[in-house]
Amino acid sequence: MRICSSTLQLLCAAALLAGCQGNDGSDAGQAGHNGKSGDSARKNDKAPLSAPSGDAVRGKQLLAQYHCGSCHAIPEVPVARGVVGPTLDGYGRRSYIAGHIPNAPETLARFIVDPAALKPGTSMPAMGVSLAEARDMAAYLTALQ
C-alpha cells in the first residue's frame, strides 16, 4: 500500500503534536516564570536578550535551509508557516526556551544543536545543525522583538 506525501506529513504532524508545546513557546498548562499562566505571563517577559555572537543574516538563511518553518512560524523566513511548534515571532523577548530553560543566545544555540540534551522528551528533533550555524540562527531569533 502506498502512502501519499500529504498523508505522511499529516501523520508526522500528529505525532509531533502529541508532545508539542503551546504556540506561545511555553508548555501547555505550565505557569510562566512569574507564576502566572497564559497572557499574564507573556506580558511580563524580560527585556531583550544580550547580543548573540552569530550572524543574524546568515541565521535567517539557515532557518530556511534547515526547514525550521515546517514546524514553526518564523517572521520574514520564506514559507516558515508551521503550526506544529510554537511561533517564533517576538522570540527575543522570551524568558525561556521550550518553557523551562532560561533564555540566552548561547543556550539557545546549544538547544538548536541538541534539543533533547537540554529538555529530555522534547518533540523538537536534532536537525544536524553545527554549533556555529546554531549561533547564527540564535542571532536571528534573538533579534526578533
Side-chain angles (χ1 to χ4, degrees), residues 52-66 74-78 132-144:
S53 62
D55 177 348
V57 173
R58 184 164 184 263
K60 179 180 172 182
Q61 295 167 345
L62 289 165
L63 288 164
Q65 176 184 323
Y66 279 96
I74 310 168
E76 299 181 32
V77 174
E133 291 171 324
R135 285 183 177 130
D136 293 339
M137 294 172 161
Y140 180 76
L141 294 173
T142 57
L144 296 175

Side-chain angles (χ1 to χ4, degrees), residues 21-22 24 38 50 60-61 64 74 83-84 96 102 105 120 126 141:
Q21 302 165 345
D24 66 351
S50 62
K60 179 180 172 182
Q61 295 167 345
I74 310 168
V83 296
V84 174
Y96 294 98
L141 294 173

Side-chain angles (χ1 to χ4, degrees), residues 100-136:
H100 297 283
I101 305 159
N103 196 6
E106 187 64 21
T107 308
L108 175 58
R110 290 184 12 242
F111 181 76
I112 292 169
V113 169
D114 188 2
L118 294 177
K119 186 176 180 199
T122 184
S123 58
M124 183 165 154
M127 299 293 292
V129 176
S130 73
L131 185 55
E133 291 171 324
R135 285 183 177 130
D136 293 339

Side-chain angles (χ1 to χ4, degrees), residues 31-50:
H33 68 280
N34 61 4
K36 298 177 183 176
S37 62
D39 291 332
S40 300
R42 284 191 299 282
K43 288 179 187 173
N44 293 319
D45 278 351
K46 69 178 186 175
L49 297 172
S50 62

